[in-house]
Amino acid sequence: MKKLILLIILFVAFAIPVLAGTYDYMPYAGKQLDVILSNEGMNFVGTITYPKNLDRPCPAILLLPGFMGERDELPVINTFVPAEGGRPQGIWERTALKLADVGYVSLRIDYRNSGKSEGYWEDATVTGELSDAIVALKFLADNPVVDKDKLAVCGLSLGGALASCMSGDPLVKVVVLWSAAPDLDVLSVIVPPEKQQELKEKGIVTFALPWGETTTLKKAFFDSTKGLHPLEEIAKFKGPLLNIYGTKDSLVTPQPQQAQSFMDVHEGEEKLVSLEADHTFNNFSGPEKIDEAIEETIKWLNNYLKP
């Protein structure tokens, strides 16, 4: 009996990680499904959203959250999820549902060390998040109801920088940027000068962000930004590029100069859209500007990913 129990324990211990790495998830038409992906020995989670019609292979889009963001992203005021106590929808959650309404599969993720994924936020690196995004893109391509020749990636803020950095992947046919950061030299932007010496000496620092929230990060996070160059990568991308920014963005600033920098180096079909909104498209005021961004995104995707 003891040997049998031991065999069962060993089977569970080794079988679960294998199953997590196979991406063998049954598609459910019109539903959202939480999934577990694996990268570099760690698990991270995502939510895949399916349209109601899965009779033919669907175009798909990967939605990448921004700095400290989670897969649903920030709440959108005056929206509701009745099945979950009437809580507000997240930016990416709302986007995913609207994309599903018009026939798109989407996947949004918690990077490793973020949200419900394995690891601790202070251990996060930008290169690690980029690596997770690439694994997630491959997951979409391998999904049996997805047309792997019709894949897009859309990122918000830092997620937009990551979308630019992965634009060279052959799977990426369309890139959509929301309030994207063209420069990842975040040390000089978000860490107060009096804290930079502490980071240098201790290798870790706790500091207040420009919007008032406090966070803790290690030096590895900032070091990881140095090898990533969103503008250089988007300059190599010849596919269609949509770039949406807020005229009142106080984080990726000044605008429209920051958004225009992507357009200046990109060669190919492109569109720059301005919204009279802040960095996250007025999500704390209501859904109006978010919905404008979603509508522009859907129109752009339809031009290139719909038959």
Side-chain angles (χ1 to χ4, degrees):
M1 179 62 71
K2 290 183 178 179
K3 289 184 178 179
L4 178 59
I5 294 173
L6 178 60
L7 286 173
I8 292 172
I9 292 172
L10 289 173
F11 173 79
V12 171
F14 286 100
I16 289 177
V18 171
L19 291 174
T22 61
Y23 314 130
D24 185 17
Y25 300 101
M26 179 68 69
Y28 289 93
K31 298 293 185 178
Q32 299 198 77
L33 178 68
D34 290 342
V35 295
I36 301 174
L37 294 85
S38 182
N39 187 22
E40 298 179 344
M42 294 175 65
N43 292 330
F44 66 102
V45 298
T47 300
I48 188 165
T49 306
Y50 291 105
K52 292 181 179 179
N53 184 2
L54 299 179
D55 293 341
R56 64 175 67 183
C58 303
I61 182 166
L62 176 64
L63 303 172
L64 299 177
F67 176 69
M68 294 184 69
E70 300 182 10
R71 63 190 133 149
D72 286 347
E73 260 299 345
L74 293 169
V76 182
I77 299 303
N78 296 327
T79 66
F80 306 93
V81 182
E84 297 184 33
R87 67 164 178 81
Q89 294 175 322
I91 293 174
W92 276 161
E93 180 183 22
R94 185 174 181 82
T95 302
L97 292 171
K98 288 182 175 291
L99 284 165
D101 285 342
V102 293
Y104 289 90
V105 175
S106 68
L107 173 66
R108 56 192 193 270
I109 62 173
D110 286 348
Y111 308 112
R112 284 172 297 154
N113 303 300
S114 297
K116 299 293 193 301
S117 291
E118 189 175 350
Y120 299 96
W121 166 245
E122 65 185 39
D123 294 318
T125 64
V126 182
T127 47
E129 293 181 345
L130 178 60
S131 179
D132 293 340
I134 293 170
V135 168
L137 183 70
K138 177 68 162 53
F139 167 82
L140 273 180
D142 289 344
N143 191 292
V145 300
V146 167
D147 185 339
K148 67 179 180 180
D149 294 321
K150 296 181 178 180
L151 290 178
V153 59
C154 176
L156 170 66
S157 191
L158 177 58
L162 297 181
S164 299
C165 288
M166 63 189 299
S167 62
D169 191 302
L171 289 171
V172 176
K173 299 301 187 290
V174 180
V175 173
V176 180
L177 307 179
W178 285 20
S179 302
D183 185 356
L184 289 178
D185 184 18
V186 293
L187 180 60
S188 61
V189 177
I190 66 171
V191 181
E194 65 274 13
K195 288 288 186 175
Q196 292 186 21
Q197 184 61 32
E198 179 181 340
L199 176 63
K200 183 177 179 180
E201 294 174 355
K202 297 182 179 179
I204 187 171
V205 67
T206 298
F207 60 98
L209 294 159
W211 52 92
E213 192 171 358
T214 297
T215 191
T216 300
L217 282 169
K218 293 180 179 178
K219 186 174 180 291
F221 178 89
F222 303 100
D223 290 343
S224 71
T225 68
K226 296 175 182 177
L228 299 179
H229 306 286
L231 293 181
E232 290 183 15
E233 296 304 320
I234 208 68
K236 304 171 188 175
F237 179 64
K238 306 304 179 185
L241 170 67
L242 174 66
N243 190 355
I244 307 176
Y245 73 95
T247 58
K248 299 178 181 179
D249 192 335
S250 61
L251 295 178
V252 178
T253 185
Q255 294 287 18
Q257 293 90 328
Q258 296 291 311
Q260 184 62 45
S261 63
F262 286 100
M263 320 311 284
D264 290 342
V265 299
H266 173 252
E267 295 181 8
E269 296 189 62
E270 61 186 33
K271 183 178 182 181
L272 182 62
V273 176
S274 66
L275 301 179
E276 190 175 346
D278 61 19
H279 183 66
T280 49
F281 303 156
N282 294 2
N283 65 295
F284 291 117
S285 297
E288 290 78 17
K289 295 301 178 180
I290 296 289
D291 287 349
E292 284 185 37
I294 295 171
E295 182 180 353
E296 289 285 351
T297 298
I298 289 173
K299 287 192 297 184
W300 191 253
L301 295 176
N302 286 347
N303 286 338
Y304 303 99
L305 301 183
K306 285 292 183 73

